[in-house]
């Protein structure tokens, strides 16, 4: 299984809602990532978990809260988001741990989030 | 620091060749290339480490000029399936500072 699976594929939420994005990989990868991608822009790193521990938080607002329940799962909890947070949220995993030579990133197809 | 990519966009006819460049003002440890088709996830193409190594598979290859801190992606005899946005990603030090470039939009027409 060489896939990274993300759910839901689409999400519409109001500014007062609480929702979560989920990501799963069964490749035994040591690091998992959340990226945010706006239209016609490159993916921007938000968080990195390495060996289930938060390694990188790229100054992301606290309305985004990551969680790594185990080595295969990664969640992104969303609360009190703003319309400018509307974007494609990509999950990725890599075989190597954070801090080692950045290897191939395996991306999921993303969750397209719209904040009203 | 984000690398620079050129051109921003390119339109080709099937069978034509293209070169996409990625450069940095800082010394690089590695350059990575990804392709993202519209509405899909980015897909890894290849990694080049400092040392001027050239890599490739099928009709897509790349080089890394360490002196110029520049990598070039070569697409030979382009196919319709090559259409998409090509992102380079650069790593300035081992395992650190990985960042994607702004992307080059490639359209291959029949």
């Amino acid at each position: 299984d060489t896939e990274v699976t993300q759910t839901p594929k689409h999400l519409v939420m109001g500014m007062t809602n609480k929702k979560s994005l989920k990501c799963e990989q069964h490749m035994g990868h040591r690091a998992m990532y959340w990226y945010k991608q706006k239209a016609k822009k490159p993916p921007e790193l938000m968080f990195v978990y390495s060996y289930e521990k938060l390694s990188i938080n790229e100054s992301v607002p606290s309305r985004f809260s990551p969680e790594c329940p185990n080595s295969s799962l990664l969640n992104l909890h969303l609360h009190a988001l703003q319309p400018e947070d509307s974007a494609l949220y990509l999950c990725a995993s890599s075989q190597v741990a954070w801090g080692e030579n950045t290897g191939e990133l395996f991306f999921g197809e993303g969750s397209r989030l719209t904040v009203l | 620091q984000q690398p620079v990519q050129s051109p921003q966009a390119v339109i080709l006819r099937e069978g034509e060749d293209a070169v996409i460049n990625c450069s940095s003002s800082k010394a690089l440890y590695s350059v990575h290339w990804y392709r993202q088709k519209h509405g899909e996830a980015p897909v890894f193409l290849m990694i080049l480490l400092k040392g001027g190594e050239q890599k490739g598979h099928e009709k897509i290859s790349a080089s890394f000029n360490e002196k110029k801190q520049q990598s070039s992606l070569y697409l030979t005899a382009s196919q319709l399936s090559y259409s998409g946005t090509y992102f380079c990603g650069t790593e300035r030090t081992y395992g650190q500072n990985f960042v994607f470039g702004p992307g080059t939009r490639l359209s291959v027409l029949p």
Side-chain angles (χ1 to χ4, degrees):
Chain A
D1 186 359
T2 57
E3 282 190 343
V4 175
T5 305
Q6 289 188 244
T7 56
K9 290 198 186 321
H10 299 275
L11 179 62
V12 179
M13 59 186 291
M15 289 190 285
T16 59
N17 291 158
K18 282 185 181 181
K19 297 285 184 182
S20 296
L21 305 180
K22 296 184 186 301
C23 175
E24 193 167 357
Q25 60 88 12
H26 295 288
M27 295 176 279
H29 285 178
R30 299 181 181 90
M32 295 185 75
Y33 308 70
W34 280 116
Y35 279 88
K36 174 182 178 180
Q37 187 176 29
K38 290 277 207 177
K40 298 186 179 180
K41 297 291 186 183
E44 289 180 23
L45 183 63
M46 299 175 72
F47 303 103
V48 181
Y49 274 83
S50 187
Y51 291 108
E52 302 166 46
K53 292 189 176 161
L54 185 63
S55 299
I56 294 288
N57 175 342
E58 292 285 3
S59 304
V60 179
S62 59
R63 56 186 184 268
F64 294 91
S65 175
E67 179 196 18
C68 188
N70 59 55
S71 60
S72 300
L73 294 173
L74 187 65
N75 297 322
L76 186 62
H77 302 297
L78 315 170
H79 174 54
L81 295 191
Q82 304 296 311
E84 60 264 28
D85 295 323
S86 298
L88 181 68
Y89 289 84
L90 292 162
C91 174
S93 68
S94 66
Q95 188 172 11
V96 296
W98 182 257
E100 299 175 9
N101 180 21
T102 301
E104 176 179 354
L105 295 173
F106 290 77
F107 283 91
E109 295 209 338
S111 294
R112 188 162 299 281
L113 173 67
T114 303
V115 182
L116 302 176
Chain B
Q1 186 175 12
Q2 188 181 51
V4 175
Q5 285 187 239
S6 62
Q8 288 187 324
V10 59
I11 300 175
L12 300 173
R13 292 283 180 187
E14 246 185 314
E16 292 180 338
D17 302 340
V19 180
I20 300 171
N21 297 307
C22 173
S23 62
S24 172
S25 59
K26 304 286 186 182
L28 298 176
Y29 175 77
S30 67
V31 179
H32 307 220
W33 286 98
Y34 286 79
R35 176 172 62 206
Q36 185 176 27
K37 298 191 178 186
H38 182 69
E40 298 183 10
V43 173
F44 172 80
L45 295 176
M46 63 191 80
I47 292 176
L48 300 103
L49 302 179
K50 69 176 183 178
E53 184 178 358
Q54 182 153 359
K55 282 196 170 182
H57 58 89
E58 294 184 351
K59 296 176 183 176
I60 300 176
S61 62
S63 63
F64 180 20
N65 186 321
E66 191 180 339
K67 289 183 180 177
K68 293 184 177 180
Q69 301 307 320
Q70 177 176 303
S71 177
S72 296
L73 184 72
Y74 307 94
L75 299 109
T76 306
S78 57
Q79 305 169 12
L80 296 176
S81 61
Y82 286 3
S83 292
T85 300
Y86 289 78
F87 294 103
C88 70
T90 57
E91 198 174 27
R92 283 172 44 199
T93 53
Y94 180 84
Q96 301 290 334
N97 309 116
F98 181 77
V99 62
F100 283 103
T104 294
R105 205 157 51 254
L106 178 75
S107 301
V108 181
L109 305 178

